[in-house]
Amino acid sequence: MPHIQQLSPHIADLIAAGEVVERPASVVKELLENAIDAGATAVTVEIKDGGMTYLRVSDDGCGIAPDELPIAFLRHATSKLRTAEDLAAIGTLGFRGEALAAIASVSRLDIFSRTQGAPAGAMLHLEGGVPGTVREAGCPEGTSVIVRDLFFNTPARLKFMKRDSAEASAISGLVAHLALSHPSISFKLIKDGTEALHTPGDGALKSAIYAALGREFALSLVEVRASDGSLAANGFVTKPLNGRGTRGMQTFFVNGRLVKSQLLTAALEEAYSNRIMKGKYPGCVLSVTLPCDMVDVNVHPAKTIVKFLNEKLIFDLVYHGVTDALDRDGAPEPVKPGVPQARQVQNPRGDFYQSMTAEQFRAQGAPKSKGSAPVFQTRIPAVNSELSGRLTAADVMRRAQSAPSKPSAPAVTAYEAPAKPVNIPAPTPVPAPVSAPEPEQVSLMQEDVVPWRIAGEVLDTYIVCEDAEKNVWLIDKHAAHERVNFDRFKARTEPIMSQTLLTPLAADFPSSEFAALSAQLPLLQEFGFDCEEFGPNSLLLRAIPADIGEGEAVSALEEIAGDLITHAANPADARDALLATLACKAAVKGGMKSDARELRVLVDKVQSGEIEYCPHGRPVKAKLSKYELEKMFKRAT
Ligand code: ADP
Ligand code: MG
């Protein structure tokens, strides 16, 4: 029988070290968190060989008194936590009180520290956790920890280290994230003698983003500011046209801590649905703050996973915050003060050519859909209820999961679906159809000035306009019309109108398409197609949507079959895809002549900022400023 023995403190330290200190990046993380907790305004991280041979973190924080230096390296030594109750309300970053002990036990460590205002500092050397004696040292106010030869005494751990370059890039990512969550602290990273990152610490998130994530990313952003009582979501998101191929540029913080959260990802991406191209993902740096008792950040040892008490509240906050930011971004800029315009009196917002803002336009001109479920209440009760347009949180999560994430990024962790489904808020109801404007909308349009001047149409595809600020606009009429149709279809409360064909039309389909279509006949009916099975792989069409031509009907059904197959796993996506397909088929085609009235309605919608992207995420308009034109002709430089 083996004897039971208590582990020696050294062995206990090594075990703890295994949990706290996994790799150089985890050392940097602990040391940076200590620096932040110490009230630093500037920190420098210097690494050599990915941090394996040399790693230094220096700060200008409160410092540690000489007699406390050895105490800081005792296990469970902390100045931050005294009672079990403190655990619940913990505001500081680290609280286990074992980071320094753990790091010291697997390295050769030097610490230099001088408290604020003290005449001199002190230093201490530890070798594999064994401390030497504290000695006086000349050093600046603050603390500097130097870690050499990490894992020199734990060869097993050393074997598992990745290449130095992988460790270095993990450290870069970490420093960038901490810099983003602390814009008031200046972070500097020096890799093998070269400065890799330096944030100004001026308190502005945008400048931290610029320094940490690059100029191009920083220039593609719109600001998000949302609050609801004690909750807030602030930060920046990319414009829809700056979507990226992966989720690698999505950064979320909850109460200052970097987290992975499917809920936050889903809320963000839901705000982009129908604005961003398929396969593209928005980027963001979004920070959610909420009272400590509404969130549990302690459910995972690495504390990157959070659990929100009220998930719907958080989802709505982020979703609406991002939606508003994107809407605001698309709205025309107000005319700068000093532009003399008599009409300004009539329009307090100042843009004289515009009859009203996009918001007013929506508020006054839009037929509000009733209830919270977006549209598409159907007269056919048999329709698959999942296709009724209500997304549950689980749907959203599934959607979020189905998309690829950056291979190197840590896997998205399991998300516990809420007990009750979260209803995604209905999209903003959209104004009436092109062909039949609502009466009040017409009167509003007539009352004021003609908005943009339509100069003409080129290539039978692009409408050329001019605005009051001397900008030239090109509008893709097909993309714009597609969007108008899509919004109109999506906002309607009855099934799409259909036209009965004089002679029913028989159409053959490949068997997979036929199977997809024949399984969804009630749904097709809802979308205006009245059809029935007509022999093997053949459908008989009796009625088709009123908005599409007879010649388009079969190709529309083929595309719809494709949509149904592609999105078989996700009914909500399938529904949107179907709407997009119909919207496209019902839209004026590039290359076809359109009449002036048709163009006018499209231009008005684009001008009001109401539509920006076609349902596939392509832009509907492009701007050429007077300056850009002058540059083109070398009139300006
Ligand atoms: P914890 O951070 O959980 O308290 P650590 O082992 O990381 O545990 O640190 C132990 C203690 O040493 C801290 O509570 C703090 O008082 C002190 N300390 C560590 N790093 C610093 C620093 N950079 N500046 C000032 N004090 C520090
Ligand atoms: Mg700590």
Side-chain angles (χ1 to χ4, degrees), residues 29-31 33-35 37 77-78 80 93-100:
K29 175 169 182 283
E30 294 293 341
L31 296 179
E33 289 184 347
N34 281 349
D37 282 347
T78 175
K80 296 162 196 168
L93 292 164
F95 59 82
R96 292 175 309 275
E98 59 189 12
L100 286 184

Side-chain angles (χ1 to χ4, degrees), residues 445-521:
M445 295 301 290
Q446 286 164 347
E447 172 192 317
D448 222 326
V449 229
V450 179
W452 294 358
R453 186 179 81 78
I454 300 183
E457 194 188 341
V458 289
L459 308 174
D460 283 339
T461 302
Y462 306 101
I463 313 169
V464 184
C465 304
E466 173 184 359
D467 74 14
E469 287 184 305
K470 303 194 163 64
N471 297 310
V472 173
W473 294 89
L474 295 172
I475 297 173
D476 179 331
K477 73 176 180 185
H478 173 72
H481 197 191
E482 221 179 316
R483 180 79 220 187
V484 169
N485 284 339
F486 180 82
D487 288 346
R488 172 165 62 102
F489 291 153
K490 203 163 172 166
R492 53 192 317 144
T493 48
E494 311 110 50
I496 287 173
M497 280 230 289
S498 55
Q499 49 177 320
T500 306
L501 297 176
L502 284 177
T503 343
L505 197 72
D508 289 334
F509 296 91
S511 57
S512 60
E513 289 183 6
F514 174 80
L517 291 170
S518 56
Q520 292 288 357
L521 290 180

Side-chain angles (χ1 to χ4, degrees), residues 30-31 33-38 59 61-64 68 71-74 77-81 94-101 111 113 142-145:
E30 294 293 341
L31 296 179
E33 289 184 347
N34 281 349
I36 294 166
D37 282 347
D59 67 56
C62 64
I64 305 173
E68 294 198 345
I71 304 173
F73 287 88
L74 297 177
T78 175
S79 56
K80 296 162 196 168
L81 183 75
F95 59 82
R96 292 175 309 275
E98 59 189 12
L100 286 184
I111 184 165
S113 197
T143 304
S144 202
V145 178

